[in-house]
Amino acid sequence: MADAYLLVSHGSRDPRPQMAIDRLSHQLSSYLEEVSTIESPILVATAQLELAAKPLHVQISDFARNCKDRGITRMAILPLFLIPGVHVMEDIPAQVEIAAQEIANSVPAQSCQQVKLTVLPFLGEDPDFANLFAQNRSCLPSQTIILAHGSRRSGGNAIVEHLASSVNLEVAYWSVAPSLTDRVAQLVATGATEIGILPYFLFAGGITDAIAQSVAQLREQFPQVELILGEPMGNSPELVATIAKILASSDTSPN
């Protein structure tokens, strides 16, 4: 395992997601300290791709400097993203590359104090996370829609489609077709009288608020149907353990 971990999220003007991620970071740090078999310190911090005071590459470089000051030379970056969209496949790797160059330029290449960076697979790619998320549907009716943000990148939504197929869910997207309204209308047309809606998001925020408003409007549009809105993942001991497993099992060879 690396000795330091940076949890990278999208960033939001709504303070709630970052508050939840900060709690997750604290819980993860405590968990790693409990299960660690080594005495060296383990650092866990957070960073945001957008809407932060500093660009992501600066946040990474700053954290690397903090690691170096503490004698830590291995640092892993975990994207807290659920689908392989442009942010995961292009934006974050580009920012990490800039940070790696900044770190290399600040310390002689042969120095043992140079911090090595590793980008781990994004959170939604892990099968255990998919299984954990699927448990959120247990209190929803048999006809349930998984509502993800969606990506316009080719293949970006395949992971959602696979998850939905594996647990017999319908799929809708917030930013691309098919929309929630279209999917609800299709199910109503087949005779559905009770429909669950499961937001494919980690934490509550501006989008989940907008989803709740959309569901309220759909209830007026389809008064004959009971629409049951589920909750996003949220913090849980199971989520912490799943992330810790990802950190422990992933290849941490430097980029």
Side-chain angles (χ1 to χ4, degrees), residues 156-226:
N157 299 319
I159 193 168
V160 182
E161 304 285 345
H162 176 75
L163 174 60
S165 176
S166 67
V167 291
N168 196 28
L169 296 174
E170 301 291 337
V171 177
Y173 299 101
W174 188 247
S175 62
V176 297
S179 69
L180 177 62
T181 298
D182 290 343
R183 189 63 81 194
V184 168
Q186 290 172 1
L187 291 177
V188 172
T190 65
T193 58
E194 188 180 51
I195 300 172
I197 299 165
L198 182 59
Y200 189 60
F201 295 87
L202 272 181
F203 304 116
I207 293 181
T208 57
D209 286 352
I211 290 171
Q213 294 174 0
S214 180
V215 171
Q217 294 170 356
L218 287 169
R219 288 178 177 136
E220 294 181 0
Q221 183 177 349
F222 301 103
Q224 75 277 26
V225 179
E226 183 179 7

Side-chain angles (χ1 to χ4, degrees), residues 61-81:
S61 297
D62 287 349
F63 185 51
R65 190 176 301 110
N66 185 20
C67 291
K68 184 171 72 69
D69 291 343
R70 295 174 180 237
I72 295 173
T73 58
R74 296 177 299 170
M75 170 181 157
I77 298 168
L78 174 64
L80 293 180
F81 288 73

Side-chain angles (χ1 to χ4, degrees), residues 99-195:
Q101 285 298 119
E102 293 175 347
I103 293 168
N105 293 337
S106 67
V107 181
Q110 68 275 15
S111 173
C112 63
Q113 289 300 310
Q114 185 172 4
V115 178
K116 306 298 191 298
L117 304 181
T118 299
V119 181
L120 304 178
F122 67 97
L123 177 60
E125 189 175 36
D126 187 80
D128 285 350
F129 174 81
N131 294 335
L132 182 60
F133 186 88
Q135 295 174 16
N136 278 13
R137 69 152 299 177
S138 60
C139 61
L140 296 173
S142 58
Q143 288 188 298
T144 288
I145 299 167
I146 181 171
L147 179 60
H149 183 278
S151 172
R152 291 179 173 82
R153 185 178 183 276
S154 177
N157 299 319
I159 193 168
V160 182
E161 304 285 345
H162 176 75
L163 174 60
S165 176
S166 67
V167 291
N168 196 28
L169 296 174
E170 301 291 337
V171 177
Y173 299 101
W174 188 247
S175 62
V176 297
S179 69
L180 177 62
T181 298
D182 290 343
R183 189 63 81 194
V184 168
Q186 290 172 1
L187 291 177
V188 172
T190 65
T193 58
E194 188 180 51
I195 300 172

